[in-house]
Amino acid sequence: AAGVIQSPRHLIKEKRETATLKCYPIPRHDTVYWYQQGPGQDPQFLISFYEKMQSDKGSIPDRFSAQQFSDYHSELNMSSLELGDSALYFCASSLGTGGATNEKLFFGSGTQLSVL
Amino acid sequence: AQKITQTQPGMFVQEKEAVTLDCTYDTSDPSYGLFWYKQPSSGEMIFLIYQGSYDQQNATEGRYSLNFQKARKSANLVISASQLGDSAMYFCAMREGRVSGTYKYIFGTGTRLKVLA
């Protein structure tokens, strides 16, 4: 079965550079979530989208922005990168229409961002 | 206040034995969902099991079962017949009410399980 696809798998950037992370949800999933996981930390919610509209915002810095496109894929844009942005960034998708089976959150393999 | 509490930062279990990973939660939402995810050293987050707040029976998925005690607000994961491949970080997560179309998912701090041969 198709899973959530994230690219790139690894990314190395320098301070003050920009980065773009991409996420392709499971086909027919209309909801995308972005999480940031620092070393040894639990995943922290950044932002979510439902039907191409921003739905909820968590601890996402102003330097970051994200959007969901017409094909439901999503991109997380990160500017003026800082050392503290080094983390594993997960994208997750679900069917946003509710119901016990639809609310399961499926994760991609993550993008490991290293800021030097 | 912490909404998902996993009090065991690390645990050891002997291969083929059963192990219980603890999770307590806090919510005032009558409708919620509880999840367990496994994160091996490779980093991916793997869905294991789900329990809805209105489900009458405890969820089971193969060797995984969820001991759901609603009055105590606990959702412990039980892994039976542990295997070496079960060594990983395990996260308990809760789904709360919907915000403009999406749910809010909150994660605990995780329990690192090591299975010993």
Side-chain angles (χ1 to χ4, degrees):
Chain A
V4 178
I5 297 174
Q6 288 188 249
S7 67
R9 188 75 177 89
H10 301 276
L11 191 57
I12 299 174
K13 290 285 184 180
E14 305 231 337
K15 274 171 39 177
R16 292 179 287 278
E17 284 192 325
T18 60
T20 297
L21 310 186
K22 296 187 178 182
C23 168
Y24 296 85
I26 292 172
R28 295 190 302 114
H29 280 194
D30 51 13
T31 307
V32 166
Y33 299 79
W34 284 97
Y35 284 85
Q36 178 192 58
Q37 186 181 26
Q41 304 290 315
D42 52 297
Q44 296 294 313
F45 170 68
L46 292 178
I47 195 166
S48 62
F49 293 88
Y50 171 62
E51 279 293 343
K52 293 155 278 185
M53 301 280 288
Q54 182 183 308
S55 175
D56 194 13
K57 230 175 168 182
S59 49
I60 183 169
D62 292 339
R63 300 176 289 108
F64 294 7
S65 65
Q67 55 182 322
Q68 186 179 30
F69 295 87
S70 57
D71 64 351
Y72 294 99
H73 95 272
S74 178
E75 294 183 4
L76 178 66
N77 299 293
M78 310 158 73
S79 63
S80 303
L81 286 169
E82 301 173 357
L83 296 178
D85 296 329
S86 295
L88 186 57
Y89 289 83
F90 283 109
C91 170
S93 76
S94 72
L95 263 177
T97 49
T101 55
N102 291 341
E103 65 180 89
K104 289 177 190 171
L105 203 56
F106 293 91
F107 284 81
S109 299
T111 293
Q112 182 65 57
L113 173 67
S114 298
V115 181
L116 308 178
Chain B
Q2 196 73 6
K3 291 211 165 188
I4 294 283
T5 303
Q6 294 181 253
T7 57
Q8 306 151 314
M11 286 195 70
F12 290 96
V13 65
Q14 207 66 39
E15 196 179 7
K16 297 177 188 171
E17 291 188 349
V19 63
T20 298
L21 307 185
D22 295 342
C23 173
T24 57
Y25 60 92
D26 183 27
T27 182
S28 56
D29 196 333
S31 174
Y32 54 90
L34 297 156
F35 301 78
W36 278 91
Y37 288 88
K38 172 185 177 181
Q39 187 176 40
S41 56
S42 51
E44 70 266 36
M45 196 74 84
I46 302 166
F47 166 79
L48 293 179
I49 197 166
Y50 163 83
Q51 180 87 40
S53 58
Y54 295 119
D55 292 344
Q56 296 295 314
Q57 303 219 335
N58 287 345
T60 59
E61 293 277 355
R63 293 186 300 110
Y64 304 108
S65 60
L66 200 152
N67 184 1
F68 181 45
Q69 297 190 44
K70 197 169 182 177
R72 292 186 175 184
K73 293 191 175 179
S74 75
N76 299 339
L77 176 71
V78 180
I79 306 175
S80 62
S82 297
Q83 302 172 356
L84 295 177
D86 293 334
S87 294
M89 181 71 99
Y90 288 81
F91 288 100
C92 179
M94 178 172 65
R95 186 274 299 159
E96 284 193 308
R98 185 175 276 174
V99 175
S100 304
T102 56
Y103 290 109
K104 195 176 278 290
Y105 293 83
I106 302 158
F107 286 79
T109 50
T111 295
R112 184 167 297 283
L113 177 68
K114 175 74 175 171
V115 180
L116 305 173

